[in-house]
Amino acid sequence: MELQAKKGHLTTMLFQLARKYANYISIFFALAILNISFSCSYYTVKNVASDDEGLSKQVHDFNKLDKYVIIHSGESAYHLSDMVINDDEQIIKGTLQFLSNAHNDQSKREEKKVHRYKKLNSDPLNEIHFYLKKPIDFKHNSTIEIPLSAINNISINDKNTGRAVVNIVLTSIGLFFVILIIYFATKSSCPFVYIKNGHTYDFVGELYPGIITPTMQHDDYLPLPNFTSENGAYKVKVTNQLKEIQYTDQLELMVANHSENLEVLLDVYGDIQTFKSIDRPRKVILEDGTVHLSPALHKDNDYYTFNSSLTSSENSTRSIIFEFEKPKDNEAAKLYLTLKNTVWLDYVFGKFNEQFGYYYNTFQKNQQKIEGQKIKQWLVDQHIPLSIYVKNSGKWELIEKINTVGPLAMRDLAIPLKLEESGSDKLEIKLETGFMFWEVDYVGIDYSVNVPVEIEYIKPYKATDQNGIDVTSLLAVADQNYFEQPRIGDEVEVIFIAKENRNHQKQSVFLKNRGYYNYIRDYKGIPDFDNLKTFKYNSEFTRFSEKRYFDFVNGIDFNAIQ
């Protein structure tokens, strides 16, 4: 209780700082626009074994876990308390009661849908649902017996960690920066993408992240998790919620049809990588020498943030080494990463831009003509991408550099690896980046051979903006004839028509996208050119990030947030 009180006090203090700029209503209105929820979590419905042998075992297991049992009889639902199972007679027994408020959700439980709930009001993750084959007329507060043969199926509510904007447990400082950056709409990012599931649009990520000039453009591939078509149509909404002008050149849906036992991802080049048997790391070593394995094991928003206070590097970068078991003489593998950029990177990049003062808009205009490769090289020299290394013959070999993916939603990525023929049973992988630029939530390795997968490429069938204007032709091909979104609140709904999934295969959906965006800023003051010149040197931006962070957390630089 005392710890909670301290956290609450710190959060209150941070909100008081934010109040200098606006009242609470405006702050939470801004959050509502982005569909951000700090009090809500999500779950998916998962069916479990329902044959006679599996049923009996599952009931025993759930009894040990003290699950809240719900019996579905036709359109009615009841709570079965004190449940026991009689193996000899193959029946379950218990006392029938009304559902408590925490478990009385009236919404339909659909297996392919992501469901939202509020932690303070409900507890769906503790539920086990029994669906009867035929309705039975029960009496409340009575002891009942149900034959296992009368049960049609059993399902549980499984925690969903991939669906959210920021439904993560934020530190008080993280919470403050999210509120501050979003309220002022100064997040250094790009168009927000929502997919329609049922009656709601769910936020899934951002288009062409980090592409701030037309010369930097390249194809980006955004995974659209848990996305299903409705009557053969996929509906996507792209919105501008920030102070920037967004130029979208192309949107194209990619639908991969594959077997249930495969997980399909795309690498940074849009090539299919299949995952059949993902192995966990057996050891994880942080920059300061700490061994910390648990964040890599699950998609649970317990992540690595590359912000250790101690570092042996001279350039203020941070690195993490993952050690895996490796089959001998295996020459290839696929790395599975779940990651995103930090809100801190957005904040500190804004502070960098702020130093241009009234000159910023001129600087940004000039940047539009700079060769894209030159800008990308500056980003690399400042360690903004996530570098991936494999140790071969005792030396670290650079495999890939991952460009920014945005700070508001985790993204799953695949990285194919070529391995040396060493006969070693150990694989070492190093992730390296600038100070606190990335968050890595899950890491796995798969040594299986890629399986051929059928891909359907779907162009927009119809795209309509917020004014009802048809803009389909602007999004159909990459021709630099852009669909522009210059104002906060601009949006476009895009409909894609898919072929019938006749074989009822599992489908993985991705949104191929291309475009760029420019910030709208009105910085004041005299440009600090002397300090800005230092950012021409390698690693200066990550040193800038590190210094501001530790100044902030040590209470020295609170004026930096003004």
Side-chain angles (χ1 to χ4, degrees):
M1 292 296 291
E2 183 179 353
L3 179 59
Q4 289 179 336
K6 288 181 178 178
K7 287 183 177 179
H9 176 71
L10 180 55
T11 303
T12 300
M13 180 185 70
L14 294 172
F15 273 112
Q16 288 173 345
L17 289 172
R19 196 189 299 172
K20 293 180 180 179
Y21 305 98
N23 57 39
Y24 288 124
I25 295 175
S26 296
I27 292 174
F28 284 109
F29 179 72
L31 295 176
I33 289 174
L34 298 181
N35 192 25
I36 294 176
S37 172
F38 297 102
S39 60
C40 294
S41 294
Y42 303 84
Y43 70 87
T44 51
V45 175
K46 179 180 179 182
N47 285 324
V48 297
S50 56
D51 55 79
D52 290 344
E53 182 180 351
L55 255 172
S56 179
K57 182 179 184 302
Q58 290 288 358
V59 173
H60 278 295
D61 291 344
F62 290 132
N63 256 346
K64 294 176 183 177
L65 297 173
D66 194 27
K67 290 283 186 179
Y68 188 91
V69 179
I70 298 178
I71 304 293
H72 294 265
S73 177
E75 297 297 320
S76 301
Y78 313 89
H79 170 46
L80 186 66
S81 65
D82 304 320
M83 184 183 71
V84 294
I85 182 170
N86 187 317
D87 287 319
D88 294 332
E89 298 181 19
Q90 289 290 285
I91 61 173
I92 58 174
K93 300 172 62 176
T95 302
L96 207 68
Q97 298 177 345
F98 289 111
L99 295 176
S100 67
N101 291 335
H103 300 278
N104 194 16
D105 186 357
Q106 300 296 320
S107 59
K108 187 176 179 181
R109 299 179 70 249
E110 300 177 48
E111 185 177 356
K112 293 184 178 181
K113 183 179 178 181
V114 178
H115 301 265
R116 176 178 174 179
Y117 71 96
K118 293 186 177 181
K119 292 182 179 180
L120 295 178
N121 302 330
S122 57
D123 187 21
L125 299 184
N126 192 43
E127 296 173 358
I128 170 72
H129 294 255
F130 291 80
Y131 288 84
L132 304 184
K133 294 177 180 177
K134 296 181 180 180
I136 299 175
D137 187 17
F138 292 122
K139 292 183 180 180
H140 290 95
N141 295 320
S142 61
T143 300
I144 65 168
E145 297 181 354
I146 301 176
L148 293 183
S149 59
I151 299 174
N152 185 54
N153 68 287
I154 303 175
S155 65
I156 60 174
N157 297 327
D158 195 23
K159 183 177 181 181
N160 181 278
T161 58
R163 151 72 174 91
V165 184
V166 281
N167 64 315
I168 58 177
V169 179
L170 291 167
T171 65
S172 296
I173 290 175
L175 173 61
F176 174 72
F177 280 117
V178 169
I179 291 173
L180 190 65
I181 289 171
I182 293 174
Y183 175 69
F184 288 110
T186 56
K187 191 181 79 63
S188 304
S189 200
C190 27
F192 290 179
V193 181
Y194 299 80
I195 58 176
K196 191 172 185 182
N197 279 322
H199 299 292
T200 62
Y201 276 94
D202 298 333
F203 176 85
V204 290
E206 304 167 61
L207 298 184
Y208 41 86
I211 307 302
I212 55 177
T213 73
T215 59
M216 295 175 64
Q217 290 181 96
H218 59 77
D219 291 336
D220 178 61
Y221 304 91
L222 175 66
L224 305 179
N226 302 307
F227 195 20
T228 57
S229 63
E230 298 179 10
N231 299 319
Y234 292 92
K235 293 185 179 180
V236 175
K237 185 177 289 186
V238 178
T239 69
N240 182 357
Q241 305 287 3
L242 306 169
K243 290 182 179 179
E244 57 191 37
I245 304 174
Q246 300 164 351
Y247 303 88
T248 303
D249 196 12
Q250 182 188 29
L251 295 177
E252 185 176 50
L253 212 62
M254 300 171 63
V255 180
N257 299 287
H258 53 91
S259 60
E260 286 286 341
N261 67 333
L262 283 183
E263 185 167 357
V264 171
L265 294 179
L266 301 182
D267 60 26
V268 295
Y269 305 102
D271 295 327
I272 288 288
Q273 306 294 332
T274 62
F275 291 81
K276 190 173 183 179
S277 179
I278 303 175
D279 295 336
R280 299 174 173 181
R282 63 186 182 186
K283 189 177 183 180
V284 179
I285 305 174
L286 306 188
E287 175 71 31
D288 58 5
T290 304
V291 177
H292 192 29
L293 178 62
S294 60
L297 301 181
H298 303 284
K299 297 181 184 181
D300 55 5
N301 292 311
D302 178 17
Y303 40 70
Y304 302 101
T305 53
F306 300 90
N307 66 346
S308 59
S309 58
L310 299 176
T311 177
S312 58
S313 69
E314 296 180 357
N315 55 16
S316 294
T317 57
R318 298 295 190 275
S319 62
I320 303 172
I321 296 174
F322 300 84
E323 183 180 303
F324 298 88
E325 291 185 9
K326 172 183 171 293
K328 291 186 177 180
D329 299 322
N330 200 298
E331 299 178 18
K334 290 157 288 187
L335 182 65
Y336 189 122
L337 293 177
T338 301
L339 43 66
K340 69 181 184 69
N341 294 108
T342 61
V343 175
W344 175 260
L345 175 59
D346 264 22
Y347 169 76
V348 78
F349 194 72
K351 287 300 175 185
F352 162 71
N353 286 334
E354 217 173 82
Q355 296 177 81
F356 285 93
Y358 64 77
Y359 183 74
Y360 176 76
N361 290 325
T362 301
F363 166 76
Q364 180 175 238
K365 183 178 180 180
N366 293 338
Q367 287 291 104
Q368 307 306 300
K369 304 172 187 177
I370 301 296
E371 183 181 351
Q373 187 55 44
K374 185 175 181 179
I375 299 174
K376 292 177 182 178
Q377 186 59 52
W378 182 86
L379 296 173
V380 168
D381 292 341
Q382 305 307 320
H383 309 285
I384 293 174
L386 181 67
S387 298
I388 300 170
Y389 297 86
V390 170
K391 183 171 279 190
N392 283 327
S393 302
K395 296 181 180 180
W396 289 113
E397 178 184 338
L398 178 64
I399 300 297
E400 190 63 78
K401 288 185 179 291
I402 306 298
N403 294 319
T404 54
V405 299
L408 292 185
M410 288 288 177
R411 184 183 289 203
D412 294 331
L413 282 176
I415 298 91
L417 307 174
K418 290 184 179 180
L419 310 178
E420 65 176 354
E421 301 179 36
S422 64
S424 172
D425 63 354
K426 181 173 70 172
L427 170 64
E428 291 182 274
I429 294 174
K430 181 171 70 172
L431 306 183
E432 184 176 72
T433 187
F435 180 83
M436 207 172 166
F437 293 166
W438 288 83
E439 294 168 347
V440 175
D441 188 29
Y442 176 78
V443 182
I445 201 78
D446 190 316
Y447 298 101
S448 65
V449 177
N450 273 334
V451 177
V453 171
E454 175 190 347
I455 291 283
E456 180 184 1
Y457 295 87
I458 309 172
K459 294 186 181 298
Y461 171 74
K462 188 174 185 180
T464 310
D465 72 6
Q466 73 279 357
N467 298 315
I469 298 174
D470 189 325
V471 295
T472 310
S473 62
L474 298 178
L475 297 172
V477 294
D479 56 3
Q480 297 185 27
N481 187 19
Y482 298 101
F483 168 62
E484 298 184 19
Q485 293 177 295
R487 294 170 296 274
I488 292 177
D490 286 350
E491 63 179 43
V492 60
E493 183 184 66
V494 188
I495 300 174
F496 300 89
I497 304 298
K499 295 179 181 178
E500 182 181 356
N501 184 12
R502 294 181 178 178
N503 297 324
H504 302 289
Q505 291 182 297
K506 182 179 177 181
Q507 294 186 318
S508 298
V509 185
F510 306 87
L511 185 61
K512 179 182 177 182
N513 60 93
R514 191 179 184 92
Y516 72 101
Y517 59 97
N518 288 161
Y519 304 130
I520 299 175
R521 299 292 186 266
D522 187 23
Y523 296 131
K524 306 296 183 182
I526 299 173
D528 190 353
F529 288 125
D530 288 340
N531 194 52
L532 285 167
K533 288 178 181 178
T534 65
F535 289 92
K536 293 182 179 180
Y537 300 108
N538 292 356
S539 308
E540 189 60 32
F541 184 76
T542 186
R543 293 191 185 100
F544 175 71
S545 171
E546 181 182 40
K547 183 179 185 306
R548 292 195 75 91
Y549 178 80
F550 285 113
D551 284 350
F552 183 89
V553 297
N554 291 325
I556 296 174
D557 196 24
F558 272 87
N559 287 329
I561 64 176
Q562 297 182 1

